[in-house]
């Protein structure tokens, strides 16, 4: 009916009841074609230009290892935003922020100019498949981040073209608000600081707090650090009560034996999960820890391709998966991973250590997951999103509302971000034992 009457208006409420992305996008393309006819455009919508913005965002004082006094954090992060412009006056935004690798990701995006300009942006999956099919290297964070930025931006254009939020294009929302936790709400510097920081985070609306235990260890089986971190978790549990979730992230650096000992000692204080308890890449070790740990194990931020996740899922080597939508090839691959995990009855707790476009894309994708658990966000960054985007995000009772604006639901403050500095690369962290040997990541 729409195709036979090009003047027919598209009603957001009647669009997309199917959960199949292929069917959805076919219907979507037909309706957009009708819109183009109605506006008497001489040709279909095409990508005309790609632009990137890379800048430093201050994150606070540099954190020092309490034992070695060496830096274990940078004073800023490097964010990378992608803008795709079209001849229809619509633009889409994506994010490929990767801290130290952001400059390399930006180079990759600009090298793909010839693969993007002139393409119909409604061919979302086809364009991303075309890029990856042309490249002999199929995985890794650089390609994964660059493709992810493109994928987000294309979905943003698609939603804006039809005046529907992206979750409608993905089959429809399963929820209208997203449960989040505050990455940074749990400090391990001291018991007093941990109590103070936890109180502040809960007062600001967080219902989940995450921190990084065992980072102060001076050698592989540091019992003093083990006892200290358990004491911190105990104190925070007493401070915030039984209804606030506690999440523990060891960044994949401890020896498996230390992680198992920590999990057993901290279990009485009911952390929701222990994240990355060993180095990535050894599924048998991860599975052994999962079997021995009384605390559920989570992992995924250092995995990128569907094959990476499939190996973990097939082995059921952890309880919760944490793909990063900005590194694991974008929304399409994120949903592909989630469906396989759902079949294995594994829940998704997506990783998030990037900026507001990344977060906006996560909300749209989280909304359609059948097996969603909880979403990571930094409370400090969340409160600063107004500096970079116009948005409707609101935190209430531990949830962020799902925006109903078209596309990703945000508008980037392009003039403002164009003024932000990129004057140096991030300082490499120094995770060292007392003897000088490497202990981190």
């Amino acid at each position: 009916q729409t195709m036979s009457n090009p003047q027919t208006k598209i009603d957001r409420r009647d669009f997309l009841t199917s959960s199949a992305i292929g069917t959805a996008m076919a219907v979507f393309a037909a309706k957009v074609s009708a819109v183009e006819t109605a506006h008497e455009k001489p040709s279909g919508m095409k990508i005309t230009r790609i632009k990137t913005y890379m800048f430093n965002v201050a994150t606070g004082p540099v954190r020092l290892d309490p034992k070695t006094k060496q830096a274990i954090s940078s004073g800023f992060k490097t964010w990378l935003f992608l803008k795709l412009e079209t001849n229809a006056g619509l633009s889409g935004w994506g994010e490929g922020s990767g801290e130290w690798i952001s400059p390399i990701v930006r180079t990759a995006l600009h090298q793909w100019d010839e693969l993007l300009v002139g393409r119909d942006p409604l061919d979302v999956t086809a364009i991303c498949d075309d890029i990856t099919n042309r490249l002999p290297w199929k995985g890794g964070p650089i390609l994964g981040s660059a493709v992810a930025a493109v994928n987000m931006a294309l979905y943003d254009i698609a939603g804006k073209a039809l005046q529907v939020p992206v979750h409608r294009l993905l089959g429809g929302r399963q929820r209208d608000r997203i449960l989040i936790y505050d990455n940074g709400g749990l400090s391990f510097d001291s018991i007093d600081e941990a109590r103070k920081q936890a109180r502040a985070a809960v007062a600001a609306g967080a219902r989940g707090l995450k921190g990084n235990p065992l980072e102060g260890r001076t050698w592989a089986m540091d019992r003093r650090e083990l006892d200290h971190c358990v004491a911190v978790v105990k104190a925070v549990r007493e401070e915030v009560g039984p209804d606030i979730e506690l999440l523990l992230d060891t960044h994949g650096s401890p020896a498996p034996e230390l992680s198992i000992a920590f999990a057993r000692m901290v279990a009485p204080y009911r952390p929701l999960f222990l994240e990355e308890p060993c180095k990535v890449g050894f599924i048998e070790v991860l599975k052994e820890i999962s079997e021995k740990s009384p605390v559920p194990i989570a992992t995924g931020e250092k995995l990128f391709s569907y094959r990476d996740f499939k190996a973990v899922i097939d082995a059921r080597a952890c309880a919760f998966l944490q793909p990063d939508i900005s590194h694991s090839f974008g929304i399409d691959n994120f949903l592909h991973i989630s469906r396989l995990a759902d079949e294995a009855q594994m829940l998704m707790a997506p990783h998030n250590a990037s900026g507001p476009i990344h977060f906006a894309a996560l909300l749209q994708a989280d909304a359609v997951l059948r097996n969603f658990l909880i979403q990571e966000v930094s409370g400090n960054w969340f409160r600063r999103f107004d500096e970079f985007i116009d948005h409707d995000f609101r935190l209430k009772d531990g949830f962020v509302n799902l925006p109903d604006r078209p596309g990703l639901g945000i508008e980037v403050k392009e003039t403002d971000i164009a003024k932000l500095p990129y004057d140096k690369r991030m300082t490499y962290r120094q995770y060292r034992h007392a003897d000088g040997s490497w202990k981190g990541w």
Side-chain angles (χ1 to χ4, degrees):
Q1 181 181 4
T2 301
M3 293 299 291
S4 64
N5 182 1
Q7 298 302 321
T8 298
K9 299 293 186 181
I10 295 174
D11 188 339
R12 295 170 62 184
R13 295 168 297 179
D14 71 0
F15 183 70
L16 287 181
T17 58
S18 169
S19 63
I21 290 180
T23 302
M25 292 308 291
V27 175
F28 169 73
K31 289 196 172 187
V32 169
S33 177
V35 172
E36 291 173 348
T37 303
H39 289 274
E40 298 180 351
K41 293 180 182 176
S43 60
M45 185 161 49
K46 303 294 182 185
I47 299 169
T48 56
R49 185 184 182 188
I50 73 170
K51 297 173 68 176
T52 56
Y53 295 91
M54 188 169 67
F55 48 91
N56 298 336
V57 180
T59 55
V62 175
R63 291 174 54 231
L64 301 179
D65 187 306
K67 305 295 193 303
T68 66
K69 306 305 180 184
Q70 294 180 317
I72 57 174
S73 74
S74 175
F76 62 87
K77 292 214 179 252
T78 300
W79 288 353
L80 174 64
F81 291 1
L82 168 70
K83 182 184 183 184
L84 297 182
E85 298 179 348
T86 72
N87 61 350
L90 296 175
S91 297
W93 290 88
E95 182 172 351
S97 302
E99 301 182 338
W100 296 271
I101 66 169
S102 289
I104 309 172
V105 175
R106 181 178 63 172
T107 297
L109 287 168
H110 284 286
Q111 287 183 333
W112 295 346
D113 183 89
E114 63 184 289
L115 302 179
L116 292 167
V117 172
R119 297 293 300 269
D120 183 340
L122 305 186
D123 293 333
V124 177
T125 303
I127 291 174
C128 295
D129 284 350
D130 182 56
I131 292 173
T132 54
N133 286 339
R134 292 170 185 265
L135 301 171
W137 305 279
K138 303 302 182 186
I142 295 172
L143 297 180
S145 300
V147 171
V150 172
N151 191 251
M152 290 180 207
L154 293 172
Y155 269 115
D156 193 28
I157 293 172
K160 289 173 180 175
L162 269 183
Q163 287 293 295
V164 295
V166 166
H167 65 76
R168 297 286 295 277
L169 305 180
L170 305 177
R173 65 188 180 189
Q174 303 274 353
R175 56 191 58 80
D176 56 15
R177 55 183 184 158
I178 309 300
L179 181 65
I180 64 102
Y181 66 86
D182 184 352
N183 180 6
L186 177 55
S187 169
F188 282 88
D189 290 343
S190 70
I191 289 178
D192 288 343
E193 180 62 26
R195 286 182 178 274
K196 176 183 175 182
Q197 197 161 317
R199 282 197 305 269
V202 171
R207 292 297 176 266
L209 311 174
K210 188 164 91 170
N212 306 119
L214 306 181
E215 289 195 343
R217 66 190 184 279
T218 60
W219 69 296
M221 295 299 294
D222 190 333
R223 295 292 174 177
R224 289 187 180 181
E225 177 68 5
L226 191 64
D227 291 342
H228 165 73
C229 291
V230 173
V232 166
V233 175
K234 178 178 183 291
V236 170
R237 173 57 74 203
E238 292 170 349
E239 183 70 36
V240 301
D243 297 329
I244 302 297
E245 298 294 348
L246 304 181
L247 307 96
L248 308 171
D249 179 6
T250 57
H251 282 156
S253 62
E257 292 73 21
L258 187 65
S259 289
I260 292 169
F262 177 63
R264 287 171 174 168
M265 293 173 67
V266 83
Y269 312 112
R270 299 188 299 100
L272 181 62
F273 59 66
L274 175 61
E275 178 178 341
E276 288 199 314
C278 63
K279 292 179 180 178
V280 172
F282 299 90
I283 294 176
E284 295 81 4
V285 176
L286 182 66
K287 185 174 182 179
E288 179 185 356
I289 295 172
S290 291
E291 291 171 347
K292 293 180 177 179
S293 171
V295 177
I297 299 300
T299 196
E301 71 177 82
K302 297 188 183 81
L303 305 177
F304 310 107
S305 70
Y306 175 76
R307 294 186 300 277
D308 292 338
F309 283 93
K310 186 176 187 300
V312 174
I313 294 168
D314 287 348
R316 215 179 194 288
C318 65
F320 308 133
L321 287 182
Q322 300 175 293
D324 185 307
I325 205 169
S326 271
H327 302 325
S328 59
F329 294 81
I331 294 171
D332 283 337
N333 195 52
F334 180 88
L335 296 181
H336 196 27
I337 294 164
S338 76
R339 293 187 188 99
L340 185 63
D342 187 41
E343 291 181 6
Q345 300 185 54
M346 296 172 71
L347 297 175
M348 299 275 283
H351 179 256
N352 171 27
S354 298
I357 302 175
H358 170 103
F359 183 69
L362 274 169
L363 292 188
Q364 297 295 323
D366 289 345
V368 307
L369 298 184
R370 297 187 184 96
N371 53 340
F372 175 75
L373 176 66
I374 196 168
Q375 177 59 61
E376 178 178 21
V377 67
S378 165
N380 290 333
W381 297 352
F382 182 84
R383 289 185 284 274
R384 293 185 57 192
F385 280 175
D386 289 347
E387 300 174 30
F388 313 102
I389 61 170
D390 180 72
H391 65 88
D392 294 331
F393 304 148
R394 299 292 180 267
L395 173 60
K396 183 179 180 182
D397 299 327
F399 292 86
V400 172
N401 60 297
L402 180 63
D404 202 36
R405 293 188 190 183
L408 295 180
I410 60 172
E411 290 297 332
V412 175
K413 297 180 178 180
E414 187 171 4
T415 301
D416 294 340
I417 66 168
K419 299 175 184 177
L420 297 176
Y422 175 72
D423 51 16
K424 58 183 177 179
R425 71 179 186 180
M426 291 177 60
T427 302
Y428 285 102
R429 298 172 183 175
Q430 297 294 328
Y431 286 104
R432 302 281 179 181
H433 290 128
D435 62 4
S437 63
W438 186 252
K439 71 175 179 182
W441 295 127

